[in-house]
């Protein structure tokens, strides 16, 4: 017997699906990982086909995760709303369906999310009645789960989802009527069920064979009398089909019962059963006469019927197929392309047609006809196809990358993943060029961004040089497809340039050939720009391709919107950091200094690294520091710390006081923020140096003879941890001709390598440097750092050298 938790979940899922007019649904529960939801039950759909959605991170941009995070229901009436709000969901399931997601609470504890899939209702929001009924079911489920948890049941899910078959609601129940017929007297004793099947009431049935015959079609009357006479001749059973008053076919079974009463030598009674099969299963012999292979599946993917020609086309016997899962009985049907077609049929409830390759040489034309209770498929043999780019067909061999399978319809998630890693607008455009164009066989791409009610060309590839210049900066009132796709919010597809020229005769297309797709870039309901895809040859756009391209346009728009925010923040951060870093260092008689800054190559590029050189009463202060994080916040905190260090230093505080005061100030300014720092005070006359560190990398000292060492100085914890932190001060003598090298950890850290190896590499660079000036040495260090193309952190370097001619007091 199933465990109680599974039964509770299955019952709630079925109740929600039936109450909301759905055809599938499921429940996500919390797992042992607090950041991960897992699909616990899936009703009305094959679990195998939906494996990519078994796990859902709570921070993913999907409706299940949003309902869980926010604690509020998410209702998506149709594909348009889904693409606008959750383009990642529609990129993976680009089919027209509606969906509802309700969080499940038990008191204050959040258990998971209840989800229902149902037919789309374009233009019609989810009704208040449906919202209320799902909320009530989720509330009852939460109370039951809370009760199970209080009783010691662990309400978490870490296994595979439990498949649940939905009760049929489209097929009338099977009814069986019974009657006894005495051929000698004509008396008929019929029960109420038989009268109901034949369309009369039991109280009005006179109980004679003539009355029974009056309820039948004339041709069935003669058949019944013939059957009765044959049955009366001996103890046997005969069957025939009778047409009921509603036109449906019923099955009649007639048998004889014999007795030997004294008054009759051949007396007997006929007993009949009339079976109303309702809509019933396919009648086998009728389907065997059709010139197409036919097989049926239930909604969980189990094969329920196979006709004779389908046996031949599939190369398997009916007994081997019926009752088996489709992908287990016919493994080639498990190809991702065919799985996607199956998902399309189940979710859209629209017929799906495609070609499939069963063996090396055998191709089949397949059509899937879905319904509430399952899918009926038709098969016919066909020739090996030859398709131009963009046609939706898949084979099981000779496949390219997943994004190239079947013109990209089946693996659009690759683009979604790549877009999440793109930061700048140029990176987003490069990802679209790399992933989207090959997936659909495109050759040209143009991306326009909206600024002050005009569209400006941000990226182009594949178009003739200068061809798009005339469209750069056009206003939103221009009669152009790239403008109108954005203002209308609808994609525009042209299968040929002739159709484009016919719709927009004023556009100078010259001798251009091919096809075009114009996609609106809209993020969270706000226009971002438009995207143009160009193809070298005329081609059609299937409904699946149009849906996928529209969904992917939403992904691109969100990525570009994020990139625009990044570009704005980057410009602010860059300007802020440039303003906060020293524009020039002091020029002194006895000491030479050189500072350099190099941004990272990942993320915001701007960090919290800084350096400074300050003339104080105690000597020349050399400062270098690194605020945790990147972006405007890190740069702003860096500016505050630089100002604090400078203020403490100019006030005459000793190195320890400077560091302790800066530590306390950071805690007051931004609790939770941390920074490392190294502060050095050099007496220009004597070369006496005092050094203090707060979690910062050890400085390097190059001696006048060129040998270079790592200074092993004691230090305190990073700034911002505790106001009671202390910072010991170390002393050394810097002889004339010696060089101090201060740096931030971005210069010596590399992924997968020990930081000590990075420090040793830097020590070797400085020791081997043969340059005429300190500035040349700083340039050399930065030049070597640039050789590493993947730098996650920014870099600051500060070098200080006593002149070789300096005299100690």
């Amino acid at each position: 017997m199933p465990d109680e938790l599974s039964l509770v979940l299955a019952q709630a899922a079925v109740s929600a699906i039936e109450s909301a007019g759905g055809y599938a649904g499921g429940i996500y529960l919390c797992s042992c990982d607090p950041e991960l939801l897992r699909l616990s039950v899936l009703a009305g759909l094959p679990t195998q086909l939906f494996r990519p959605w078994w796990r859902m991170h709570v921070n993913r941009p999907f409706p299940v995760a949003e309902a869980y995070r926010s604690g509020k229901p998410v209702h998506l009436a149709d594909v348009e709303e889904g693409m606008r709000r959750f383009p990642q969901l529609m990129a993976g399931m680009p089919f027209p369906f509606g969906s509802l997601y309700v969080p499940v609470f038990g008191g204050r504890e959040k258990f998971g999310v209840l989800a229902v899939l149902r037919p789309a209702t374009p233009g019609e929001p989810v009704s208040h009645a449906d919202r209320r009924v799902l909320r009530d079911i989720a509330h009852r489920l939460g109370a039951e789960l809370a009760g199970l948890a209080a009783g010691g049941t662990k309400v978490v899910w870490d296994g595979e989802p439990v498949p649940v078959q939905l009760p049929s609601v489209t097929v009338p129940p099977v009814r069986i009527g019974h009657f006894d017929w005495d051929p000698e007297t004509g008396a008929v004793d019929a029960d109420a069920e038989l009268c109901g099947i034949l369309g009369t009431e039991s109280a009005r049935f006179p109980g004679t064979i003539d009355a029974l015959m009056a309820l039948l079609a004339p041709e069935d009357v003669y058949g019944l009398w013939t059957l009765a006479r044959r049955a009366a001749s001996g103890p046997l059973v005969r069957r025939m089909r009778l047409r009921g008053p509603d036109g449906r076919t019923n099955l009649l079974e007639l048998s004889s019962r014999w007795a030997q009463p004294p008054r009759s030598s051949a007396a007997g009674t006929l007993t009949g059963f009339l079976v109303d099969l309702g809509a019933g299963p396919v009648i086998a012999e009728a389907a065997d006469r059709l010139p197409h292979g036919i097989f049926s599946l239930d909604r969980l993917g189990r094969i329920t019927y196979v006709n004779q020609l389908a046996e031949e086309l599939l190369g398997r016997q009916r007994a081997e197929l019926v009752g088996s899962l489709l992908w287990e009985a016919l493994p080639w049907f498990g190809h991702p392309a065919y799985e996607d077609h199956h998902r399309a049929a189940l979710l859209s409830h629209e017929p799906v047609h495609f070609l499939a390759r069963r063996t090396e040489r055998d191709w089949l034309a397949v059509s899937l006809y879905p319904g509430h209770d399952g899918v009926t498929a038709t098969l016919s043999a066909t020739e090996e196809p030859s398709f131009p780019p963009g046609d939706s067909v898949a084979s099981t061999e000779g496949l390219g990358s997943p994004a190239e399978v079947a013109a990209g319809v089946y693996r659009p998630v690759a683009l979604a993943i790549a877009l999440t890693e793109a930061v700048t607008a140029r990176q987003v455009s490069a990802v679209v060029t790399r992933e989207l164009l090959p997936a659909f066989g495109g050759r040209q791409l143009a991306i326009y961004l909206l600024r002050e009610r005009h569209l400006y060309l941000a990226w182009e590839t594949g178009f003739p040089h200068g061809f798009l210049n005339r469209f750069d900066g056009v206003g939103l009132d221009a009669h152009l497809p790239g403008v109108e796709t954005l203002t209308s919010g609808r994609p525009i597809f042209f299968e040929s340039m002739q159709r484009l020229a016919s719709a927009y005769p004023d556009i100078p297309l010259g001798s251009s050939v091919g096809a075009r797709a114009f996609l609106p870039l809209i993020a969270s309901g706000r226009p971002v720009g438009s995207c143009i895809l160009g193809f070298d040859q005329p081609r059609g756009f299937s409904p699946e391709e149009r849906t996928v391209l529209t969904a992917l346009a939403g992904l691109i728009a969100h990525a570009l919107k994020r990139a625009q925010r990044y570009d704005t923040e980057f410009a602010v951060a860059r300007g802020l950091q440039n303003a906060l870093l020293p524009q020039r260092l002091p020029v002194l008689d006895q000491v030479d200094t050189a500072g350099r800054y190099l941004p990272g190559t990942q993320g915001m590029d701007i960090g919290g690294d800084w350096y400074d050189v300050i003339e104080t009463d105690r000597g020349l202060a050399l400062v270098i520091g690194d605020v945790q994080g990147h972006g405007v916040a890190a740069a702003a905190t860096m500016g505050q710390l630089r100002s604090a260090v400078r203020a403490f230093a100019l006030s005459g505080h000793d190195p320890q006081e400077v560091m302790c005061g800066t530590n306390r100030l950071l805690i007051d300014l931004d609790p939770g923020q941390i920074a490392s720092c190294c502060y050095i005070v050099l007496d220009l006359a004597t070369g006496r140096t005092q050094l203090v560190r707060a979690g910062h990398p050890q400085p390097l000292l190059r001696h006048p003879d060129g040998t270079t060492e790592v200074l092993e100085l004691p230090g305190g914890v990073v700034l911002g941890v505790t106001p009671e932190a202390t910072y010991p001060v170390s002393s050394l003598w810097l002889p004339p001709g010696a060089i101090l090298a201060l740096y931030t950890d971005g210069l010596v850290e590399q992924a997968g390598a020990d930081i000590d190896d990075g420090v040793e590499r830097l020590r070797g660079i400085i020791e081997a440097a043969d340059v005429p000036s300190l500035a040349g040495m700083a340039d050399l260090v930065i030049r070597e750092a640039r050789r590493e193309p993947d730098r996650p952190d920014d870099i600051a370097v500060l070098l200080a050298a006593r002149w070789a001619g300096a005299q100690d007091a």
Side-chain angles (χ1 to χ4, degrees), residues 465-599:
H465 180 70
F467 178 79
L468 297 177
N469 291 347
R470 72 196 81 178
F471 309 116
D472 193 14
V474 297
L476 293 186
D477 56 349
H479 181 55
L480 294 170
V483 173
E484 294 179 357
T485 188
L486 180 62
T487 55
S488 68
R490 296 189 300 272
I492 305 174
F493 298 93
F494 294 100
E495 289 80 3
S496 68
M497 299 305 289
Q498 289 77 10
R499 293 192 178 185
L500 175 57
S502 175
Y504 296 89
D506 295 333
I507 299 179
L509 298 176
S511 59
S512 300
V513 296
R516 293 286 187 270
F518 296 86
L519 308 175
L521 301 180
I522 299 174
S524 302
R526 296 181 179 273
V528 176
S530 59
C531 176
I532 304 173
L533 297 181
F535 304 85
D536 287 345
Q537 299 296 326
R539 55 157 291 168
F541 297 92
S542 69
E544 293 89 351
E545 287 179 312
R546 293 173 185 243
T547 302
V548 170
L549 284 171
T550 306
L552 293 180
L555 287 180
I556 296 167
H558 279 279
L560 286 171
K561 194 70 175 177
R562 186 180 66 246
Q564 288 177 329
R565 290 195 300 268
Y566 164 85
D567 290 337
T568 301
E569 185 174 350
F570 175 79
V572 173
R574 170 67 82 181
L576 179 60
Q577 184 150 36
N578 287 339
L580 293 175
L581 288 173
Q583 300 304 304
R584 62 183 183 85
L585 300 180
V587 178
L588 304 169
D589 292 337
Q590 296 169 294
V591 175
D592 194 9
T593 58
R596 298 289 186 271
Y597 174 80
L598 180 66

Side-chain angles (χ1 to χ4, degrees), residues 413-430:
V413 177
L415 175 63
I417 295 172
L419 284 175
T420 62
E421 300 173 353
V423 177
T424 67
R426 289 188 63 83
Q427 289 174 345
V428 171
S429 302

Side-chain angles (χ1 to χ4, degrees), residues 116-468:
V116 173
L117 307 183
R118 67 181 197 174
T121 55
E124 298 180 13
V126 178
S127 69
H128 291 292
D130 288 342
R131 296 173 187 235
R132 184 172 59 252
V133 72
L134 284 182
R135 183 190 60 210
D136 292 344
I137 292 172
H139 179 74
R140 290 196 299 271
L141 174 60
E144 289 187 82
L145 295 179
L148 291 177
T153 300
K154 200 172 182 180
V155 185
V156 295
W157 199 272
D158 283 295
E160 297 185 358
V162 172
V164 178
Q165 184 71 277
L166 292 175
S168 174
V169 296
T170 60
V171 179
V174 173
R175 296 184 296 173
I176 302 177
H178 172 267
F179 69 94
D180 288 320
W181 174 14
D182 186 342
E184 290 190 356
T185 64
V188 173
D189 182 14
D191 64 9
E193 198 69 25
L194 182 131
C195 294
I197 294 173
L198 295 180
T200 188
E201 296 180 7
S202 180
R204 295 183 178 180
F205 182 64
T208 66
I209 189 62
D210 292 335
L212 179 64
M213 297 293 181
L215 300 175
L216 303 179
E219 61 271 24
D220 290 342
V221 170
Y222 292 103
L224 180 59
W225 273 109
T226 301
L227 185 67
R229 296 198 174 195
R230 294 190 63 192
S233 63
L236 47 80
V237 176
R238 290 288 184 269
R239 295 186 180 89
M240 68 175 293
R241 293 191 179 91
L242 296 181
R243 192 178 68 206
D246 57 1
R248 291 205 307 266
T249 298
N250 304 313
L251 178 66
L252 173 70
E253 179 177 289
L254 201 62
S255 61
S256 58
R257 294 184 306 183
W258 290 87
Q260 297 295 333
R263 63 183 180 84
S264 175
S265 59
T269 301
L270 297 178
T271 298
F273 293 92
L274 188 63
V275 182
D276 175 11
L277 298 175
V282 177
I283 299 174
E285 59 266 33
D288 283 341
R289 291 191 290 268
L290 293 176
H292 297 284
I294 297 176
F295 68 90
S296 295
L297 307 167
D298 65 16
R299 289 196 64 92
L300 299 189
R302 292 179 302 209
I303 301 173
T304 57
Y305 172 77
V306 181
N307 78 342
Q308 184 174 331
L309 184 54
E311 286 185 285
E312 299 175 12
L313 293 172
L314 296 174
R316 299 286 300 277
Q317 294 297 311
R318 196 173 313 189
E320 300 175 287
L321 295 172
V322 173
S324 302
L325 285 172
L326 176 65
W327 309 276
E328 294 177 357
L330 304 169
W332 56 272
F333 242 111
H335 183 271
Y338 311 147
E339 286 187 344
D340 199 74
H341 285 307
H342 195 171
R343 276 193 293 267
L346 289 170
L347 294 180
S348 70
H349 276 210
E350 296 290 335
V352 174
H353 312 280
F354 60 98
L355 300 185
R357 183 161 62 185
R358 184 176 72 86
T359 66
E360 179 69 22
R361 299 180 178 179
D362 295 332
W363 283 81
L364 299 175
V366 183
S367 295
L368 303 179
Y369 298 91
H372 188 281
D373 296 319
V375 176
T376 296
T378 64
L379 306 168
S380 60
T382 188
E383 298 291 329
E384 180 175 355
S386 175
F387 292 90
D391 285 349
S392 295
V393 65
S395 65
T396 56
E397 296 184 14
L399 295 172
S401 65
E404 295 171 336
V405 174
V409 173
Y410 310 109
R411 286 297 179 265
V413 177
L415 175 63
I417 295 172
L419 284 175
T420 62
E421 300 173 353
V423 177
T424 67
R426 289 188 63 83
Q427 289 174 345
V428 171
S429 302
V431 166
V432 176
T433 302
R434 185 177 67 248
E435 298 288 346
L436 187 62
L437 283 185
F440 290 86
R443 293 295 181 267
Q444 298 93 31
L445 170 72
I447 292 178
Y448 288 84
L449 295 180
L450 180 65
R451 188 169 68 250
E452 297 178 354
R453 296 189 58 78
H454 287 75
L455 286 173
Y456 294 93
L457 184 62
W459 179 274
E460 66 169 307
T461 183
F463 287 94
H465 180 70
F467 178 79
L468 297 177

